[in-house]
Amino acid sequence: MALIATGATATATAAPVASPAASSTASELMAQGRESAAVLEALLHGASLPPAHGGAHALAAEILRCCDRALAASRAGGDAESSSADTKRKPATAQPSTRRRRRYIYMYVSSRSCDGARDRAATQQEIFCRATASGGGAAAAAEPARVEKARTSEDGFLWRKYGQKEIKNSKHPRLYYRCSYKDDHGCTATKQVQQSEEDPSLYVITYFGDHTCSCQTAAAAAMDDDDDDENSQHFVINFGPATASRSGSPPLLYDDGDDGDVWRETAATPPSSRQSRCSPEGDGEESGVKMSKEEPVDSCPAPSAVSSPADVVSCSSPAMEPDLLGCLNWDDDFGDSSFVDADEFMNFDEIDLFQIYS
DNA sequence: AAAATTTGACCGGG
DNA sequence: CCCGGTCAAATTTT
């Protein structure tokens, strides 16, 4: 399955709060990239370009360059990640938990360009933001987490359930998930999902740790954003067809809301083969942007049909300004991109880009 | 057959 | 000792 534009989007949109300089740089780069994207969009809509522009491919390259640089800037400002897995249970290898997992505070905006049978836009419209200094359990209390309430727990990552626990004074059990790439890449991200007491239609999702793998969708990229800025500028670059998979299975994960069935992908393809090129974040591959040239999936409408702002942007954040929203289809115009690798391609189905202000 | 889930046991913090 | 988080064998699913 196609790899996602995770590196670029996630890091480009993630502005470490503690590093204003880096976020500012990333912000400028993203603004620049957006500018190019807007020009490209106009081009795609039939507008003629000024002579100064080098055409769609040049614009595409420019956008990619901006993303990469923003990515690098963000990384430079970010904290170094520990990749060691926690081995609480193994006395021999157990180490004091000196590694502090980063607290996530962010504004999340869902954008969906291709809903298919599942209304992903609807499922993620009600995500609230709050920071918790402590959780219920021992691990949660020790490691700050970010907490969401959502109609589903989809976040674009691939999770594996590893436990379920009845919680005292709770009507619903708590489900424990860890990143499916924990073994492959030592990704330490985990999450807990529990049905809300107040509103059973909502799920309280608590995230712990960072994804050190890059196996995430654009939605995940947006959610991985550290940004908690209310003035985030949001725009969507829609690379057209939702999925590039020959098998027709999108990289996105869905959640039907049933216990135990969340995070199961519709495709039977195992993650290891589906995302064979999923590389850890620290792989040194600065230009993490890969293009997809694959056919659209049948469940997805034509790019033109999905590019209307109403379809693409499902903004639940009151801070979002519709005027700032933009959308761009990047369908086939990246076919010759130098970033394209035969077996490393990404699904640019949808990408959320946040411009950070600090 | 392989991968994912289930579930009872184990472990550590409070 | 209770509670919550994780492990891992057993079971189920694909």
Side-chain angles (χ1 to χ4, degrees):
Chain A
M1 185 54 214
L3 206 50
I4 323 304
T6 59
T9 56
T11 49
T13 61
V17 176
S19 177
S23 62
S24 172
T25 302
S27 173
E28 292 168 4
L29 289 166
M30 290 312 302
Q32 186 180 346
R34 187 198 185 284
E35 201 171 319
S36 298
V39 176
L40 181 57
E41 180 190 32
L43 177 65
L44 292 172
H45 282 90
S48 60
L49 283 179
H53 290 277
H57 293 303
L59 285 168
E62 172 67 18
I63 295 164
L64 291 174
R65 201 158 42 238
C66 289
C67 289
D68 288 337
R69 291 170 61 192
L71 168 65
S74 292
R75 280 182 177 163
D79 52 8
E81 292 294 338
S82 167
S83 62
S84 64
D86 51 28
T87 53
K88 174 182 175 181
R89 241 187 113 133
K90 297 174 181 175
T93 60
Q95 297 175 348
S97 181
T98 56
R99 179 176 60 85
R100 300 285 298 179
R101 292 182 183 177
R102 186 174 50 181
R103 168 186 292 189
Y104 287 79
I105 307 171
Y106 64 96
M107 301 296 295
Y108 174 67
V109 174
S110 169
S111 72
R112 292 284 85 103
S113 61
C114 174
D115 52 6
R118 305 168 188 81
D119 188 358
R120 289 180 281 155
T123 62
Q124 294 196 323
Q125 286 178 352
E126 299 188 16
I127 296 179
F128 311 133
C129 304
R130 63 190 168 103
T132 59
S134 64
E143 316 216 21
R146 72 183 202 264
V147 182
E148 300 173 4
K149 283 186 178 179
R151 296 201 182 283
T152 81
S153 50
E154 175 196 343
D155 60 4
F157 287 98
L158 185 62
W159 300 93
R160 173 174 294 187
K161 185 179 178 182
Y162 67 88
Q164 176 173 329
K165 198 76 174 175
E166 296 290 337
I167 302 302
K168 192 180 176 72
N169 297 326
S170 279
K171 285 183 289 188
H172 308 106
R174 182 172 298 164
L175 284 61
Y176 300 88
Y177 296 87
R178 63 169 158 249
C179 179
S180 287
Y181 298 95
K182 178 178 184 292
D183 295 333
D184 290 349
H185 300 314
C187 183
T188 59
T190 63
K191 74 170 182 180
Q192 300 172 3
V193 178
Q194 190 170 13
Q195 217 168 335
S196 173
E197 296 280 334
E198 301 83 21
D199 185 356
S201 68
L202 293 179
Y203 292 85
V204 179
I205 311 165
T206 307
Y207 292 90
F208 298 92
D210 289 336
H211 280 278
T212 55
C213 68
S214 296
C215 305
Q216 62 181 138
T217 65
M223 300 188 75
D224 198 34
D225 199 338
D226 281 341
D227 173 36
D228 61 344
D229 195 306
E230 294 182 355
N231 296 319
S232 295
Q233 182 175 342
H234 178 217
F235 63 94
V236 176
I237 303 175
N238 178 9
F239 281 80
T243 175
S245 170
R246 286 185 174 82
S247 63
S249 59
L252 296 173
L253 306 176
Y254 306 106
D255 180 12
D256 60 5
D258 293 332
D259 286 349
D261 262 351
V262 290
W263 312 108
R264 284 292 301 278
E265 195 165 26
T266 54
T269 313
S272 56
S273 60
R274 187 194 314 117
Q275 299 182 348
S276 58
R277 291 298 304 173
C278 172
S279 56
E281 188 170 339
D283 58 358
E285 184 71 19
E286 189 169 303
S287 59
V289 180
K290 306 297 188 301
M291 296 298 113
S292 168
K293 301 194 291 184
E294 306 292 329
E295 269 81 34
V297 96
D298 43 11
S299 65
C300 294
S304 60
V306 302
S307 61
S308 71
D311 287 335
V312 173
V313 177
S314 170
C315 180
S316 62
S317 168
M320 294 303 167
E321 301 177 33
D323 292 347
L324 297 176
L325 298 175
C327 175
L328 175 63
N329 284 330
W330 280 11
D331 285 326
D332 300 326
D333 295 85
F334 287 84
D336 297 332
S337 169
S338 60
F339 291 92
V340 172
D341 186 297
D343 59 356
E344 286 189 38
F345 55 86
M346 321 184 59
N347 182 356
F348 271 63
D349 165 28
E350 53 212 5
I351 301 172
D352 291 358
L353 298 176
F354 292 80
Q355 185 159 353
I356 313 302
Y357 298 93
S358 55

